[in-house]
Amino acid sequence: LGEASYGGRMDAILGYYLLIINAVSALIFIADKLNSKLGWRRIPENTLLLCSLLGGAPAGLAAMCVFRHKTAKTSFKIPMCLTTMACFAWLAFIFL
């Protein structure tokens, strides 16, 4: 196969990966918010940050804002902002 078809497949794989990791990230943030409200065991912050760092930062940030999850906790917001910037830099490097 030629180089063009290889690049097209890689773009598709990356697109599916980003779709899946963002869905997982959003679900984990939502589950943690629900666990918090129900008094159940929480999802560790490192897990939330790792999902964001692996490419799920857009959905994680959206879930934080929409569900008002961890928005008052500065000790989480700062690492989340740094993680989001790292994720966007990684995405910009890949797509630009």
Side-chain angles (χ1 to χ4, degrees):
L1 295 174
E3 186 177 323
S5 69
Y6 175 76
R9 277 189 296 169
M10 289 306 292
D11 288 346
I13 290 169
L14 182 60
Y16 287 128
Y17 168 77
L18 289 173
L19 186 69
I20 291 167
I21 193 65
N22 275 278
V24 168
S25 184
L27 289 173
I28 289 175
F29 272 84
I30 293 167
D32 189 46
K33 176 67 174 187
L34 183 61
N35 289 356
S36 171
K37 285 198 168 268
L38 296 174
W40 294 355
R41 186 173 180 182
R42 304 288 300 277
I43 296 170
E45 289 181 355
N46 285 341
T47 301
L48 300 172
L49 291 170
L50 180 62
C51 281
S52 296
L53 186 61
L54 293 175
L61 200 56
M64 278 180 67
C65 294
V66 170
F67 296 100
R68 292 183 172 179
H69 185 52
K70 296 199 175 280
T71 55
K73 191 171 182 185
T74 304
S75 65
F76 182 78
K77 285 194 310 186
I78 292 171
M80 183 62 185
C81 286
L82 295 173
T83 300
T84 301
M85 288 189 294
C87 178
F88 284 134
W90 175 72
L91 292 172
F93 176 75
I94 288 174
F95 286 109
L96 298 178

